[in-house]
């Protein structure tokens, strides 16, 4: 009986410490809507089983992909390097050391010929032939980039870039995006950046501002808000210039990157289908605060990813979807069309990229 009492006392003490221990996050309540049913064009079809692997085991991941003019592709790595992977996928080499151990995320070619990279702490220009790297901007002086994430570039050379979360910086060995996900507050920012470092804030108060894609006519630019499951756009030109518009809400998965093909089709990379754990966290801020006091390996267990590619038009209408049946592609982070009927698949977690022939 005494032993039982000691055990109960120890449990009570642990619960008290857990209760009093300061929380890292201050979660907000959101009555997250139920996701749309995966029927019709959203039906999980397993089509991505037919995608071929590139760089398998030669790269750590492939958060974003930029096609190489001479064949193959470039992709950034979590250790701050930029790698080239051959067309066959059987060769890979380091092209440049972009950052000092901060992830290289978004990639896009600039009209002047250099590869532009969003790399958590800044936006960089890379000469892929020499490996020379130039910092274009580390963000505004009053709020440096915490999580420069994705970008696209207009015909005039303007770089449109997201800072996913100024509150939870990326690249310090902590699961920063998961804390932003749990806190559920609008820490995302969206900027227009020039090559001379001039930077203008276009939109703030975004929920993990992520993927960026120019519209086919160049008059607007699309932005993904990952933890609100929505696609929005900022109007650059025309009678609506300066306006922010929500295009599609309550998307059927957790969206990451978005890429346009120049014809009005947008390819949205879904890390995974919607996750019940995330719905629970958003609807229960007090419990979220308590749960996030536990080690990450305990509370960040949402199950294996079920990634897919969602195709929409520029009005947000669903056109098609292609699903990963077995998790081979991990959390799908970006999709890049090559203009020849194929999509390159970038993964946040899998040690490979994919090439998928559009049905």
């Amino acid at each position: 009986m005494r032993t039982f009492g000691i055990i109960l006392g120890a449990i009570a003490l642990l619960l008290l410490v857990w209760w009093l221990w300061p929380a890292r996050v201050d979660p907000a309540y959101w009555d997250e809507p139920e996701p749309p049913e995966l029927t019709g064009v959203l039906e999980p079809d397993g089509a991505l089983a037919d995608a071929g692997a590139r760089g398998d085991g030669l790269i750590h991941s492939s958060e974003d992909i930029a096609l190489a003019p001479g064949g193959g592709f470039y992709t950034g790595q979590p250790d701050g390097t930029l790698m080239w992977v051959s067309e066959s996928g059987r060769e890979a080499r380091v092209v440049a050391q972009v950052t000092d151990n901060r992830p290289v995320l978004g990639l896009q070619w600039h009209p002047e010929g250099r590869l532009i990279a969003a790399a958590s702490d800044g936006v960089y220009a890379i000469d892929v032939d020499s490996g020379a790297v130039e910092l274009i901007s580390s963000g505004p002086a009053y709020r440096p980039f915490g999580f420069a994430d994705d970008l696209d570039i207009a015909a005039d050379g303007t770089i449109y870039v997201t800072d996913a979360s100024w509150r939870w910086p990326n690249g310090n060995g902590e699961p920063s995006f998961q804390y932003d996900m749990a806190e559920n507050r609008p820490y995302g920012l969206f900027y227009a950046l020039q090559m001379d470092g001039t930077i203008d804030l276009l939109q703030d108060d975004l929920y993990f501002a992520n993927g960026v894609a120019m519209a086919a006519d160049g008059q607007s630019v699309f932005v993904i808000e990952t933890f609100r499951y929505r696609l929005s756009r900022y109007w650059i030109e025309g009678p609506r210039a300066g306006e922010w518009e929500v295009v599609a809400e309550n998307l059927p998965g957790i969206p990451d990157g978005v890429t346009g093909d120049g014809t009005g089709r947008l390819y949205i990379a879904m890390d995974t289908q919607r996750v019940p754990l995330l719905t629970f966290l958003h609807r229960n801020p007090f419990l979220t605060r308590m749960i996030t006091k536990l080690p990450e390996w305990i509370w960040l267990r949402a199950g294996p990813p079920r990634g897919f590619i969602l195709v929409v038009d520029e009005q947000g209408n669903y056109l098609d979807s292609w699903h990963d049946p077995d998790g081979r592609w991990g959390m799908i982070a970006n999709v890049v069309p090559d203009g020849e009927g194929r999509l390159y698949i970038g993964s946040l977690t899998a040690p490979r990229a994919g090439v998928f022939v559009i049905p």
Side-chain angles (χ1 to χ4, degrees):
M1 193 68 181
R2 181 183 178 188
T3 301
F4 182 69
I6 292 174
I7 292 173
L8 283 179
I11 293 174
L13 180 61
L14 287 173
L15 290 174
L16 179 62
V17 170
W18 181 31
W19 180 276
L20 296 177
W21 195 266
R24 297 193 65 181
V25 300
D26 179 23
Y29 172 79
W30 180 41
D31 188 13
E32 179 178 312
E34 294 298 322
E37 293 187 15
L38 299 183
T39 58
V41 296
L42 300 178
E43 182 76 33
D45 56 3
L48 296 186
D50 295 332
R54 298 292 189 274
D56 200 355
L58 301 177
I59 56 178
H60 182 279
S61 58
S62 51
E63 167 79 16
D64 200 2
I65 285 171
L67 301 179
F73 62 89
Y74 298 98
T75 187
Q77 299 296 286
D79 65 358
T81 57
L82 177 73
M83 295 190 71
W84 170 82
V85 178
S86 67
E87 179 64 28
S88 68
R90 292 190 289 269
E91 299 176 63
R93 67 171 184 269
V94 174
V95 173
Q97 184 71 46
V98 182
T99 70
D100 182 14
N101 206 36
R102 285 182 177 269
V104 178
L105 303 173
L107 296 173
Q108 192 61 250
W109 290 104
H110 194 274
E112 71 161 31
R114 286 189 290 178
L115 187 59
I116 309 301
S120 294
D121 64 341
V123 176
Y124 297 82
I126 308 161
D127 184 319
V128 296
D129 295 322
S130 67
V133 176
E134 176 190 354
L135 174 65
I136 301 173
S137 175
S138 56
Y142 64 89
R143 179 160 284 163
F145 287 131
F147 204 135
D149 197 323
D150 202 11
L151 60 109
D152 204 353
I153 302 176
D156 66 2
T158 300
I159 302 165
Y160 293 95
V161 59
T162 51
D163 187 354
S165 177
W166 61 261
R167 172 70 176 83
W168 295 103
N170 188 33
N172 293 319
E174 296 184 348
S176 55
F177 76 87
Q178 291 95 330
Y179 284 114
D180 187 281
M181 172 190 74
E183 194 154 46
N184 191 30
R185 295 184 184 276
Y187 298 132
L189 305 164
F190 179 52
Y191 294 102
L193 173 65
Q194 306 300 327
M195 289 293 283
D196 64 3
T198 303
I199 187 167
D200 295 302
L201 177 64
L202 302 181
Q203 190 72 21
D204 59 3
D205 292 338
L206 304 178
Y207 289 85
F208 204 82
N210 202 331
V212 182
M214 297 298 303
D217 62 6
Q219 293 198 29
S220 60
V221 58
F222 293 92
V223 178
I224 289 288
E225 290 179 81
T226 295
F227 299 132
R228 271 298 188 267
Y229 319 128
R230 68 187 173 201
L231 174 72
S232 302
R233 78 159 93 194
Y234 180 86
W235 288 90
I236 302 167
E237 300 177 3
R240 300 183 63 183
E243 289 186 26
W244 181 264
E245 173 194 16
V246 175
V247 176
E249 294 189 275
N250 198 28
L251 293 171
I254 300 179
D256 195 324
V258 58
T259 307
D261 67 359
T263 70
R265 290 163 65 93
L266 299 172
Y267 299 95
I268 301 176
M270 295 291 185
D271 286 333
T272 187
Q273 295 175 20
R274 295 273 287 276
V275 178
L277 172 62
L278 194 49
T279 304
F280 174 84
L281 294 176
H282 286 160
R283 291 177 178 174
N284 297 276
F286 172 76
L287 292 177
T288 299
R289 185 179 296 107
M290 299 301 292
I291 289 170
T292 54
K293 296 180 185 183
L294 299 171
E296 289 85 2
W297 62 269
I298 295 177
W299 65 272
L300 290 177
R301 299 182 68 86
R306 295 167 294 168
F308 63 101
I309 299 167
L310 175 66
V311 189
V312 303
D313 62 22
E314 293 190 348
Q315 289 70 48
N317 300 304
Y318 299 167
L319 303 178
D320 211 337
S321 67
W322 305 301
H323 296 248
D324 180 359
D326 55 15
R328 183 186 188 198
W329 307 111
M331 297 176 69
I332 298 177
N334 236 312
V335 187
V336 179
D338 69 354
E340 298 179 2
R342 300 183 300 177
L343 298 176
Y344 281 73
I345 303 169
S347 174
L348 178 64
T349 55
R352 64 187 68 87
V355 178
F356 177 65
V357 177
I358 299 174

